[in-house]
Amino acid sequence: MSITPSAGSIHLVIAGAGPAAQALVRQLTQPGTAAFIGTIAVLSNRDECPDALLELAALPQVSVRFGQAASFIDVQARTVTTTEGLEFPYDQLVIATGSSPMYPPVQGAARSLSYSTIDDAEQIGTAVKDITRVLGRRPLGILVGTGPAAGQAEAVLRARGVRPVRTTLRPAAVMPSVAGSVLPATGIVFEDGSSMNGDLVVLAEERLPRNGLAESADLQTAPDGGIRVGRDFATSVPGIWAIGDAASRDGMRLGLVFSSNAAAAHCAARLEEDARLRISSPTQSPRSARSAAAA
């Protein structure tokens, strides 16, 4: 089944509905911005919807399709097909499908804090402030993980006054706090029964960018599995961009380099430029139009 847009404007499809996708929609729908972008279709793989996304869905130029995960890109036809068989034509496509944990969740992980992208620093900062107020002293934090994410998480904890104790050994479970305590978790337990105790637990385990959609379009990927992008967030295929944790630059997941808001601002500027060139030079590709304008 094909969803055919009206003619005469630039149509943007965003594959993914997480923080990066939401930030991009907010950026593109600000008053006085993105004048060349006509409509925005957001393909979400979830049936439920956070309030922030519902607010964006209420905007007249935004259409959010719940339970419609993008599964295939036809580069020649410029269409995206979902797992439910709906087909969405696009002039521009942004992939914001995020990343997934490398390992199954640790038992009780929901009671801990997590660090997977730079956006998590704000949530951790708020939690640390509350815990410090309750304890009346500097908290002791148990940090689990290896790699860049764990390194960033340790820096975040230290900057907020936490004494972090880091372990690279994966625990079997996160220990809950005492009943009635405002502290979400106080330690971890390993497979051999040994444990580490503290005032808070942060899991910063490695993640894998979701690049299945990119593979369907034969986009170039990085050694870490992310979609390779340039400094303008453009992929190896014209008309397709990638932001957030699905994208990679210089061997690093972009979620660890750019906040959602920063990535959205940069990408929106490139989308606006591309849309302007498409409208002003409809018979030329945006890249050839740029070359002609520079000549």
Side-chain angles (χ1 to χ4, degrees):
M1 178 179 178
S2 177
I3 308 297
T4 305
S6 59
S9 60
I10 295 297
H11 303 278
L12 170 67
V13 172
I14 302 176
Q22 293 176 37
L24 181 59
V25 174
R26 286 193 296 270
Q27 185 69 37
L28 291 172
T29 54
Q30 289 181 2
T33 63
F36 297 98
I37 305 293
T39 58
I40 303 172
V42 181
L43 307 182
S44 173
N45 66 331
R46 298 181 180 181
D47 291 320
E48 71 274 12
C49 179
D51 291 341
L53 189 55
L54 283 175
E55 293 177 4
L56 297 176
L59 297 172
Q61 70 270 48
V62 178
S63 173
V64 180
R65 302 304 180 106
F66 300 105
Q68 294 291 337
S71 62
F72 181 78
I73 302 171
D74 187 328
V75 174
Q76 299 302 319
R78 284 184 175 267
T79 59
V80 180
T81 303
T82 69
T83 52
E84 299 299 316
L86 293 182
E87 193 175 86
F88 291 84
Y90 69 85
D91 295 306
Q92 299 171 321
L93 170 64
V94 176
I95 300 176
T97 47
S99 63
S100 57
M102 186 177 294
Y103 306 107
V106 174
Q107 181 181 347
R111 292 187 289 262
S112 67
L113 299 169
S114 65
Y115 190 98
S116 59
T117 72
I118 198 170
D119 289 324
D120 293 323
E122 181 177 356
Q123 179 185 6
I124 289 176
T126 300
V128 167
K129 184 183 297 184
D130 293 339
I131 292 172
T132 302
R133 184 175 62 251
V134 171
L135 294 175
R137 58 171 172 80
R138 185 182 182 189
L140 175 65
I142 307 301
L143 172 61
V144 179
T146 61
Q152 286 191 359
E154 182 171 354
V156 168
L157 290 173
R158 290 187 183 279
R160 284 155 179 77
V162 176
R163 293 177 295 158
V165 177
R166 184 170 170 182
T167 175
T168 58
L169 181 62
R170 196 167 195 262
V174 174
M175 296 168 54
S177 58
V178 178
S181 171
V182 297
L183 305 179
T186 56
I188 54 178
V189 178
F190 299 100
E191 291 287 352
D192 63 1
S194 62
S195 64
M196 294 178 67
N197 298 307
D199 300 310
L200 59 94
V201 177
V202 177
L203 299 181
E205 298 189 290
E206 287 302 286
R207 300 175 66 87
L208 295 174
R210 296 189 178 99
N211 62 357
L213 186 60
E215 291 172 355
S216 73
D218 200 26
L219 301 181
Q220 291 182 8
T221 55
D224 65 356
I227 303 168
R228 190 188 298 274
V229 298
R231 298 199 175 276
D232 58 356
F233 295 89
T235 69
S236 57
V237 174
I240 303 179
W241 288 259
I243 62 173
D245 235 20
S248 178
R249 183 192 299 168
D250 299 329
M252 180 77 75
R253 284 191 289 118
L254 283 194
L256 294 173
V257 180
F258 289 95
S259 68
S260 293
N261 288 335
H266 285 288
C267 187
R270 303 288 76 78
L271 290 170
E272 174 76 357
E273 178 191 9
D274 181 86
R276 177 179 57 80
L277 292 172
R278 287 179 185 276
I279 291 174
S280 62
S281 305
T283 60
Q284 300 183 38
S285 70
R287 289 181 180 177
S288 64
R290 288 191 189 97
S291 298

